[in-house]
Amino acid sequence: MVSRDVHEIYAKGLEFLTQTQDERGTWPAGEGVGPGTTGLVVLAFLASGEDPNFGPHRDVIRKGLRHIIAGQSAVTGYISPSMYHHGFAMLALCEAYGVVDDSDLYPPGERESQRSLAEAVELAVRAALTAQKNNRRGGWRYAPNASDADTSVSGAVVMGLLAARNAGIEVPDESIDRAIDYLVSMTAEDGSVGYTSASEGGGGESVARSSIVNLVLAIAGRKELQAYQSTLQYLVVNRDAEPLWPEYARYYQAQAYFQSDVAVWKQWNDRLIQRLKRDQKPNGSFDGDLGVTNSTSMSLLALAVNYRFLPIYER
């Protein structure tokens, strides 16, 4: 059962996002504006369990998806302006693929000339795989041609690839294995995870990154790895920490706890609900360093595990 508080917080948040979508199909998010922001909002709508084809938010979802696809290169499949945006946008496309009716994604007269969801997903996967092949560490960085990597961008991209694989799109095991090897190499014995080097973790500051690694290993079916146990231990010990970029951290924490230890998740989730109930603005939004749109969508997605509707949110 999903509590009344979750339903009310979520409904108010979606109403705010509905009212603030612009004519391009995206949302004003300050420096973070782009297809990644659009993708996170689309995910928030899809995660609520409403029918994306006949529900009250069908047009919001379609406008968002069209915005993402319009910004994708038809040649490389890259969804600019960064692999960060590419990862979150790819995740949204993958979760929409199979539940959103492609036949009316575009208005009449535009369908024949526009890219379908299936084509957009396959192109996005190809771009991610190409970027990884050019990366000496097996991960991803902000630029698609970068040779270095960081765990935050890599987490966003590999979650998109895992969602694509769940949706039936071919993603080579070699690619997932390379990404996992990279993330494991960035994990210290205490379960902290570095950003661009393994020595950058420590304290409670690694909550978001440790959540990313723990979640990726759970979704990829690699719980036998030592890095899975060490990051889980780290997250349990630091579950009351106040991390930097709290909305971003909670987005990954919720999924990691749910996939790893449901009892821990339930306790953490109860506290999260009360905090979000207190922090939500009268208009349904949430403030945060990531801008109002990203902070609102990530706060809602941290609650969306309660619904367990999206494939990527299932245990």
Side-chain angles (χ1 to χ4, degrees):
M1 296 293 292
V2 179
S3 72
R4 179 177 177 177
D5 284 339
V6 171
H7 282 307
E8 290 181 349
I9 294 168
Y10 217 97
K12 287 174 63 177
L14 291 186
E15 180 59 26
F16 169 78
L17 294 171
T18 298
Q19 296 298 325
T20 52
Q21 188 180 35
D22 64 26
E23 287 303 312
R24 298 172 299 159
T26 188
W27 284 263
E31 295 179 1
V33 70
T37 293
T38 310
L40 286 168
V41 179
V42 168
L43 284 167
F45 279 100
L46 293 175
S48 66
E50 293 184 26
D51 190 322
N53 301 304
F54 300 101
H57 302 303
R58 70 179 303 279
D59 292 335
V60 176
I61 293 169
R62 278 160 172 72
K63 284 175 67 176
L65 291 170
R66 292 198 297 268
H67 176 264
I68 293 172
I69 295 172
Q72 183 182 39
S73 168
V75 177
T76 66
Y78 175 48
I79 307 172
S80 62
S82 75
M83 290 304 296
Y84 225 145
H85 282 278
H86 184 94
F88 287 124
M90 178 168 60
L91 177 58
L93 291 174
C94 292
E95 296 300 284
Y97 173 61
V99 297
V100 173
D101 186 354
D102 229 350
S103 67
D104 66 352
L105 179 59
Y106 296 95
E110 294 183 25
R111 297 169 191 166
E112 295 75 14
S113 61
Q114 300 295 332
R115 197 172 307 128
S116 69
L117 270 174
E119 291 168 331
V121 169
E122 290 187 346
L123 274 173
V125 168
R126 184 194 307 170
L129 297 177
T130 300
Q132 186 189 36
K133 287 177 182 176
N134 297 329
N135 191 284
R136 59 184 172 80
R137 304 194 68 183
W140 293 267
R141 190 76 160 126
Y142 285 90
N145 59 351
S147 61
D148 63 335
D150 74 62
T151 50
S152 189
V153 174
S154 296
V157 177
V158 75
M159 283 299 291
L161 289 177
L162 289 170
R165 190 169 72 173
N166 287 348
I169 305 298
E170 183 178 356
V171 178
D173 288 342
E174 178 188 359
S175 174
I176 301 299
D177 289 344
R178 280 194 74 204
I180 288 174
D181 287 345
Y182 164 68
L183 292 173
V184 168
S185 75
M186 298 292 287
T187 305
E189 289 186 6
D190 68 350
S192 62
V193 175
Y195 178 54
T196 57
S197 70
S199 61
E200 293 174 315
E205 190 266 334
S206 175
V207 167
R209 298 191 297 269
S210 294
S211 297
I212 289 170
V213 173
N214 186 268
L215 175 63
V216 167
L217 295 180
I219 299 296
R222 301 300 302 274
K223 290 185 176 182
E224 81 281 359
L225 294 177
Q226 178 58 39
Y228 175 79
Q229 294 298 331
S230 61
T231 50
L232 176 57
Q233 176 75 17
Y234 180 91
L235 292 175
V236 172
V237 169
N238 290 282
R239 61 184 177 274
D240 296 323
E242 289 290 333
L244 298 171
W245 313 100
E247 297 82 19
Y248 177 76
R250 291 177 201 143
Y251 167 76
Y252 280 116
Q253 276 178 284
Q255 298 176 75
Y257 286 135
F258 180 68
Q259 294 292 339
S260 300
D261 191 322
V262 175
V264 171
W265 169 75
K266 285 180 177 177
Q267 295 176 350
W268 183 86
N269 182 63
D270 288 342
R271 292 195 298 271
L272 175 68
I273 292 169
Q274 295 309 308
R275 178 159 191 167
L276 295 183
K277 185 178 179 180
R278 183 188 71 226
D279 292 348
Q280 190 172 34
K281 303 298 181 184
N283 66 358
S285 68
F286 292 90
D287 287 337
D289 295 333
L290 298 169
V292 66
T293 303
N294 287 319
S295 296
T296 300
S297 58
M298 283 188 158
S299 294
L300 294 182
L301 286 167
L303 286 180
V305 179
N306 287 274
Y307 293 105
R308 306 170 202 182
F309 183 77
L310 291 181
I312 205 71
Y313 276 15
E314 294 174 358
R315 266 181 69 87

Short mmCIF file of all heavy atoms in Angstrom, two decimals, residues 34 47 52 117 210 267 287:
data_model
loop_
_atom_site.label_atom_id
_atom_site.label_comp_id
_atom_site.label_asym_id
_atom_site.label_seq_id
_atom_site.Cartn_x
_atom_site.Cartn_y
_atom_site.Cartn_z
N GLY A 34 18.05 21.14 -20.04
CA GLY A 34 18.49 20.28 -21.14
C GLY A 34 17.75 18.97 -21.13
O GLY A 34 16.84 18.75 -20.32
N ALA A 47 6.65 7.20 -13.49
CA ALA A 47 6.82 6.40 -12.27
C ALA A 47 5.59 6.40 -11.38
O ALA A 47 5.49 5.58 -10.47
CB ALA A 47 8.02 6.91 -11.48
N PRO A 52 0.18 6.34 -19.32
CA PRO A 52 0.83 7.40 -20.09
C PRO A 52 0.16 7.67 -21.43
O PRO A 52 0.50 8.66 -22.10
CB PRO A 52 2.25 6.85 -20.30
CG PRO A 52 2.08 5.37 -20.27
CD PRO A 52 0.98 5.11 -19.28
N LEU A 117 10.37 6.02 -30.88
CA LEU A 117 11.03 5.75 -29.60
C LEU A 117 12.06 4.64 -29.75
O LEU A 117 13.16 4.73 -29.21
CB LEU A 117 9.99 5.35 -28.55
CG LEU A 117 9.36 6.46 -27.72
CD1 LEU A 117 8.25 5.89 -26.84
CD2 LEU A 117 10.41 7.15 -26.86
N SER A 210 28.39 6.01 -3.55
CA SER A 210 28.27 4.63 -3.06
C SER A 210 26.90 4.06 -3.42
O SER A 210 26.78 2.87 -3.73
CB SER A 210 28.49 4.59 -1.55
OG SER A 210 29.82 4.95 -1.21
N GLN A 267 12.60 2.05 6.80
CA GLN A 267 12.89 3.02 7.85
C GLN A 267 13.33 4.35 7.25
O GLN A 267 12.86 5.42 7.65
CB GLN A 267 13.97 2.48 8.79
CG GLN A 267 13.55 1.26 9.59
CD GLN A 267 14.68 0.70 10.43
OE1 GLN A 267 15.84 1.11 10.30
NE2 GLN A 267 14.36 -0.23 11.31
N ASP A 287 12.82 23.21 -3.39
CA ASP A 287 14.03 23.99 -3.64
C ASP A 287 15.25 23.10 -3.53
O ASP A 287 15.22 22.07 -2.87
CB ASP A 287 14.15 25.14 -2.64
CG ASP A 287 13.15 26.25 -2.93
OD1 ASP A 287 12.68 26.34 -4.09
OD2 ASP A 287 12.84 27.02 -2.00
#
